[in-house]
Amino acid sequence: MQNLKGWIFDRQFDEGIALKVEQDHKLLIYVLEDALFRIVFKKNDAFRLDRSWSIAPKNDVPLEGRPRSDMQGFLCPAFSIDETARQIIISTSVLRLIISHPLQLKWQSFIAGKWMDIAQDRPTGGYTLGRKDHAHAHYLAHFPEDKVFGLGEKSGQLLRNGRRFEMRNLDALGYDARRTDPLYKHIPFTVTRTANAGSYGLFYDNMANCWFDIAQEKDNYHQPYRSYRAEDGDLDYYFSWGSSISEVVKCHTWLTGGTAFMPRWSFGYSGSTMAYTDAPNAQEQLRGFIDLIRKHDIPCDSFHLSSGYSSINGKRYVFNWNYDKIPNPAAMAQSFADADLKLIANIKPCMLQDHPRYQEAALAQLFIKDSQSGRPERSSFWDDEGSNLDFTNPDTVQWWRDNVSAQLLGFGIEHTWNDNNEFEVWDREAKANGFGAPIDIALIRPVQAMLMNRASLEAQKAYAPDKRPYLITRSGGTGIQRYAQTWTGDNLTSWDTLRYNIPMGLGLGLSGFHNIGHDVGGFAGPPPDKELFVRWVQNGIFSPRFSIHSWNDDDTANAPWMYPEVIDYIRSAIKLRYRLLPYIYGLHYKCVHQHLPMLRPIFYHHEADARCFEPTFDFMLGSDLLVANVLEPNAGTRRVYLPQNTMGWWDFEGKNYYTGGQEIVVPVDLASIPLFVRAGSVIPLGGEVPRAEQRYDKTRTWNIYPPQSGPIEADFFEDDGISVLGAPRLHTIVTGGADRDHINIAWQHSGQFKPLFKEITLTLPGHENRQLSVNGTKTQHNAAHSLFIP
């Protein structure tokens, strides 16, 4: 590895400056926004890979990738340059970069009228490049007061300090949510909160295997440091600054293309299990699921069709139907459609060597190619070997789209579950087509999963162009959230998994992945016992994706009715989820249009409260609901810290008001779902419905949680829940305030969409005795109040 130290100024261009480094290399510094810079090292003045699939601030990237030279979507504001013999300073109104000799970058932010240090490269060497390969590293000085978050789907607590992580997509079946690393996704982004200079984000636009060390490593010759190391690819990173963590997260989400807008039904309960499609009478088992949700009065919107439908002798063969188990796929799909349930079919991008259509794909050269022989590469897959399809080949993309259309959509199965897409090809130089410019697979493994999902998406859009598509993926890299929902893979049944999947999901949210969930009940291992299952469901109802899924060791299926003794608790929790759908779906709208996470750490809105940064499994659903689920067996009480704010908190039932900044102890039993609401908020609730689709949504209640004194405000979103474009929207704005004697609510709406409900019922906490006024009119104390919607 070559340490990069010497540099000279080369030139200025419209978006930034260029330096020559160690004579042979170029360092490009782009000023993309006032608070967003980009740093690019070009080894020998050339890119290793001249394209990116992650950066999409304006439009989606072309299939073949976005040229790294493309500045589309960035404002590229004016900046100043001050140059001396020893350093160059590049400044915008809020962010300053100081480049000094030997090569070191130092960042400052403009706060309270002065420049404050944010971050800096390690003084004893910040950058290295491989001499004979494209390995590279970036070292930053580490300050003990800095708090580092992000890196997406990672095990353990949310704070990453003092730990080392690897980015290498793996099928981590039965992982330990407290310790296992690496996992399924490649998300090389961190957000760091400094002591007094705001927060900054670092995104390394590189899909090659890499490692992050957050001051775990120590070296006598250096002061404390953190590092990013990659085995291949380009050293190309984005540095963003914000006065808060939330500003940095929003910037990164925007930078990488935002979040796919999913249909409303996708936020209902989705059934799933390996057991049904693995059974010899799979079609009968699947029909039984429909009967069972009716029998047990369980709201449900969809079912994930596991890969057993494609099996031959226990193995999986994509786009193959096992007609012995499912004699009539179209009739099976129709039975779900008649019940108003959506089917989501599992598909896999690796074809086993004895796949009935393997030779067809091989002759068409649809596979990634072995680096030596040029024949299809062979990798371990499903207790055998297979070849991975190459989605950088336009012929593969078309073949995939055609088969999604013929083998799934043609039978009435409209949605895809893109699974087993880690692309575990360990021949690093195996060749992908690269849309005509071959690329080593080591550079783009996560990109293959992204393009697989994109091909599935395009097939679904062509089939139903007026509907929002739904698809879900297990693996991929930064940018895949533009196409699909995701979940945290094949977890292990345990109390630890229940607990540590929570910070894992929050880590995804802080990294730009906002529509996520976990396998409720645990996927691998033994079935959960009764108490663990109840607690898992009670927690799962607050994730954007809510699905009970399993592949239990004893061939049983996790399902709401698996323990009759506790089904009332399960049903109650799921029905609470459906009552909260107006709030949850509104969060999804804000997620898509405002780049706000749906799930948020409690410090996200309470950075001034140091207690909120302590390890916890509590979290926020949006800005208003604090979820404090019971996560320990045999619990009789639950300790909850209510963050310091100026308004206070209510319990969800409206029975008790609490000031912020205190720890409370609440009694719990098996029915308890401890849930707290920020005072000053209004939570929209639906009625008791069997499905999440808008046509079932015929009632609306606004629960008002007034402060002792202060404003009351909220905004809600309604639409038809399914249309792609042109669907009119209703925005209802609640504004007002409370004082010692009065609670005032004013509301207005805009947009042409007319919901099925004609009235909105307003409720207050049970013991409120202040006078309520609505749009200036006094109303009866503490009664239900109806507002007519014109």
Side-chain angles (χ1 to χ4, degrees):
M1 299 286 278
Q2 179 184 17
N3 290 315
L4 304 182
K5 297 180 180 179
W7 62 271
I8 59 172
F9 181 81
D10 182 41
R11 63 186 175 91
Q12 181 175 345
F13 51 91
D14 289 345
E15 302 88 5
I17 66 170
L19 309 178
K20 284 186 178 180
V21 179
E22 301 293 348
Q23 299 182 333
D24 299 319
H25 315 305
K26 280 287 180 67
L27 170 56
L28 304 176
I29 299 166
Y30 295 90
V31 180
L32 302 177
E33 306 285 337
D34 283 332
L36 176 65
F37 285 25
R38 178 185 172 200
I39 309 299
V40 182
F41 284 85
K42 295 176 69 175
K43 182 180 179 182
N44 298 322
D45 199 17
F47 284 117
R48 168 71 167 136
L49 178 62
D50 62 355
R51 291 170 269 172
S52 168
W53 282 267
S54 295
I55 303 301
K58 186 176 182 180
N59 300 309
D60 201 0
V61 302
L63 273 176
E64 63 273 17
R66 173 188 169 112
R68 288 192 186 266
S69 58
D70 190 350
M71 294 292 107
Q72 193 176 59
F74 297 113
L75 289 177
C76 298
F79 56 91
S80 65
I81 298 179
D82 296 308
E83 184 178 1
T84 69
R86 297 300 303 167
Q87 64 182 21
I88 294 177
I89 302 175
I90 307 174
S91 305
T92 68
S93 59
V94 296
L95 188 59
R96 171 186 282 179
L97 172 59
I98 303 170
I99 310 163
S100 57
H101 289 278
L103 181 62
Q104 183 189 23
L105 274 58
K106 182 177 183 178
W107 303 88
Q108 295 180 332
S109 59
F110 195 70
I111 298 179
K114 62 180 179 180
W115 290 102
M116 304 281 289
D117 289 346
I118 313 168
Q120 66 183 54
D121 294 335
R122 188 177 66 178
T124 47
Y127 303 95
T128 60
L129 289 178
R131 293 184 182 274
K132 296 183 179 181
D133 59 18
H134 291 273
H136 56 266
H138 178 204
Y139 300 89
L140 282 166
H142 178 75
F143 304 102
E145 62 271 21
D146 286 355
K147 291 178 170 54
V148 183
F149 305 98
L151 299 178
E153 181 185 75
K154 290 299 177 185
S155 59
Q157 283 289 357
L158 190 57
L159 184 69
R160 309 307 191 196
N161 293 40
R163 302 171 63 199
R164 179 180 291 159
F165 303 92
E166 181 177 2
M167 295 292 173
R168 179 165 53 94
N169 307 62
L170 287 180
D171 181 354
L173 172 67
Y175 64 84
D176 181 339
R178 194 170 186 170
R179 299 180 180 86
T180 300
D181 186 73
L183 292 172
Y184 299 88
K185 297 175 185 67
H186 184 108
I187 309 173
F189 170 75
T190 57
V191 54
T192 302
R193 182 180 187 268
T194 70
N196 52 24
S199 296
Y200 66 90
L202 276 173
F203 174 62
Y204 296 89
D205 186 15
N206 181 19
M207 291 291 187
N209 294 349
C210 59
W211 296 262
F212 287 83
D213 189 301
I214 314 299
Q216 182 190 70
E217 182 176 285
K218 295 182 182 296
D219 187 329
N220 181 55
Y221 301 108
H222 305 280
Q223 294 297 312
Y225 60 91
R226 50 186 279 197
S227 63
Y228 153 83
R229 298 179 176 96
E231 67 179 22
D232 206 341
D234 293 282
L235 181 48
D236 182 354
Y237 70 88
Y238 292 75
F239 186 101
S240 58
W241 177 82
S243 61
S244 64
I245 290 172
S246 63
E247 288 183 17
V248 175
V249 172
K250 285 193 287 186
C251 176
H252 177 69
T253 306
W254 160 79
L255 174 67
T256 56
T259 304
F261 194 17
M262 293 289 179
R264 194 178 197 266
W265 63 259
S266 68
F267 296 96
Y269 161 51
S270 184
S272 184
T273 178
M274 297 283 286
Y276 292 174
T277 56
D278 279 355
N281 61 338
Q283 190 159 340
E284 182 181 340
Q285 294 276 345
L286 291 164
R287 175 67 205 189
F289 178 82
I290 300 172
D291 296 335
L292 286 166
I293 62 169
R294 288 174 178 157
K295 175 183 176 181
H296 295 292
D297 187 26
I298 302 295
C300 183
D301 277 87
S302 61
F303 188 85
H304 281 64
L305 191 67
S306 290
S307 57
Y309 76 90
S310 69
S311 67
I312 301 173
N313 297 323
K315 298 176 185 176
R316 279 30 179 178
Y317 298 81
V318 66
F319 301 133
N320 174 74
W321 280 94
N322 184 322
Y323 289 104
D324 293 331
K325 292 197 289 186
I326 301 180
N328 192 333
M332 180 267 296
Q334 188 61 50
S335 67
F336 276 81
D338 291 343
D340 221 354
L341 294 167
K342 310 296 186 294
L343 275 177
I344 306 152
N346 187 288
I347 46 179
K348 308 179 188 300
C350 187
M351 297 176 69
L352 290 170
Q353 58 186 334
D354 61 347
H355 192 294
R357 299 178 64 186
Y358 183 93
Q359 290 304 319
E360 169 196 333
L363 289 172
Q365 301 189 51
L366 305 185
F367 295 122
I368 298 166
K369 295 180 179 180
D370 181 86
S371 62
Q372 297 297 314
S373 68
R375 294 190 294 270
E377 61 83 26
R378 290 287 182 93
S379 301
S380 295
F381 189 75
W382 274 92
D383 301 321
D384 200 340
E385 285 192 349
S387 298
N388 285 271
L389 291 163
D390 178 9
F391 288 89
T392 69
N393 182 343
D395 292 338
T396 305
V397 172
Q398 189 60 53
W399 184 88
W400 186 267
R401 289 181 59 178
D402 290 345
N403 278 280
V404 168
S405 298
Q407 299 300 323
L408 299 177
L409 305 178
F411 288 122
I413 301 170
E414 299 182 357
H415 311 283
T416 57
W417 172 6
N418 298 267
D419 198 14
N420 292 95
N421 49 357
E422 290 72 37
F423 287 84
E424 293 192 35
V425 179
W426 303 121
D427 173 2
R428 292 179 55 193
E429 297 176 351
K431 288 295 183 286
N433 177 277
F435 298 97
I439 304 173
D440 289 358
I441 192 63
L443 292 170
I444 57 163
R445 282 181 57 230
V447 173
Q448 291 282 357
M450 293 169 66
L451 295 176
M452 171 198 178
N453 276 269
R454 189 161 171 174
S456 300
L457 176 72
E458 292 302 324
Q460 292 172 225
K461 288 168 67 175
Y463 179 79
D466 296 328
K467 292 182 179 180
R468 278 176 239 162
Y470 171 82
L471 59 163
I472 187 166
T473 186
R474 187 171 76 179
S475 191
T478 299
I480 205 167
Q481 77 285 347
R482 300 193 294 262
Y483 315 122
Q485 189 184 66
T486 190
W487 88 105
T488 55
D490 296 343
N491 56 8
L492 181 69
T493 301
S494 72
W495 283 93
D496 253 0
T497 300
L498 168 58
R499 287 186 285 265
Y500 283 93
N501 268 167
I502 293 172
M504 187 178 291
L506 296 174
L508 281 164
L510 291 178
S511 306
F513 282 64
H514 303 326
N515 192 350
I516 65 98
H518 321 281
D519 279 349
V520 171
F523 177 78
D529 63 34
K530 298 172 189 175
E531 183 183 13
L532 176 55
F533 186 54
V534 170
R535 296 307 190 196
W536 218 317
V537 171
Q538 290 171 341
N539 183 68
I541 62 171
F542 298 109
S543 292
R545 175 187 186 260
F546 170 48
S547 179
I548 301 171
H549 186 39
S550 60
W551 191 16
N552 294 338
D553 291 345
D554 62 358
D555 297 324
T556 59
N558 294 349
W561 43 83
M562 67 187 296
Y563 296 118
E565 306 93 317
V566 297
I567 192 172
D568 288 345
Y569 302 123
I570 301 296
R571 183 188 301 108
S572 177
I574 296 176
K575 288 190 174 185
L576 174 59
R577 162 72 169 215
Y578 276 71
R579 287 184 63 211
L580 285 168
L581 277 173
Y583 179 75
I584 293 171
Y585 184 60
L587 291 180
H588 178 57
Y589 177 82
K590 294 177 183 178
C591 165
V592 172
H593 294 279
Q594 300 174 27
H595 306 308
L596 294 169
M598 298 176 72
L599 301 176
R600 307 170 191 177
I602 61 171
F603 59 68
Y604 192 87
H605 296 288
H606 308 98
E607 287 196 48
D609 186 346
R611 173 76 181 269
C612 291
F613 286 94
E614 295 180 5
T616 181
F617 296 110
D618 299 347
F619 61 93
M620 301 292 298
L621 178 60
S623 60
D624 299 328
L625 292 182
L626 192 159
V627 182
N629 284 308
V630 180
L631 306 171
E632 302 288 342
N634 306 313
T637 58
R638 175 66 155 85
R639 290 184 175 273
V640 183
Y641 178 71
L642 300 174
Q644 177 66 56
N645 62 19
T646 59
M647 309 285 275
W649 299 85
W650 288 92
D651 59 33
F652 182 72
E653 293 80 11
K655 295 178 180 178
N656 298 290
Y657 171 83
Y658 306 92
T659 57
Q662 65 167 317
E663 183 176 89
I664 63 173
V665 179
V666 295
V668 297
D669 56 24
L670 197 55
S672 299
I673 306 176
L675 186 61
F676 300 86
V677 188
R678 181 184 61 83
S681 63
V682 181
I683 304 298
L685 300 174
E688 186 169 310
V689 294
R691 303 288 184 269
E693 286 203 59
Q694 185 66 264
R695 66 177 178 272
Y696 292 93
D697 190 23
K698 298 180 180 180
T699 64
R700 183 68 78 249
T701 299
W702 290 350
N703 279 9
I704 303 168
Y705 297 89
Q708 301 301 297
S709 177
I712 300 171
E713 52 190 11
D715 57 279
F716 309 127
F717 166 76
E718 308 280 357
D719 72 352
D720 67 4
I722 194 73
S723 298
V724 175
L725 295 172
R729 299 185 295 270
L730 169 69
H731 290 276
T732 303
I733 311 298
V734 179
T735 61
D739 58 27
R740 187 178 65 180
D741 300 315
H742 302 89
I743 298 171
N744 299 303
I745 297 295
W747 73 287
Q748 60 186 13
H749 70 90
S750 62
Q752 299 304 309
F753 175 71
K754 293 186 182 298
L756 292 179
F757 54 86
K758 299 302 181 183
E759 296 180 330
I760 299 171
T761 300
L762 305 184
T763 65
L764 288 168
H767 60 73
E768 264 296 345
N769 56 15
R770 288 177 283 181
Q771 174 65 57
L772 175 64
S773 296
V774 180
N775 286 348
T777 301
K778 293 181 179 180
T779 62
Q780 184 179 351
H781 162 65
N782 204 32
H785 305 278
S786 295
L787 302 177
F788 177 70
I789 296 185

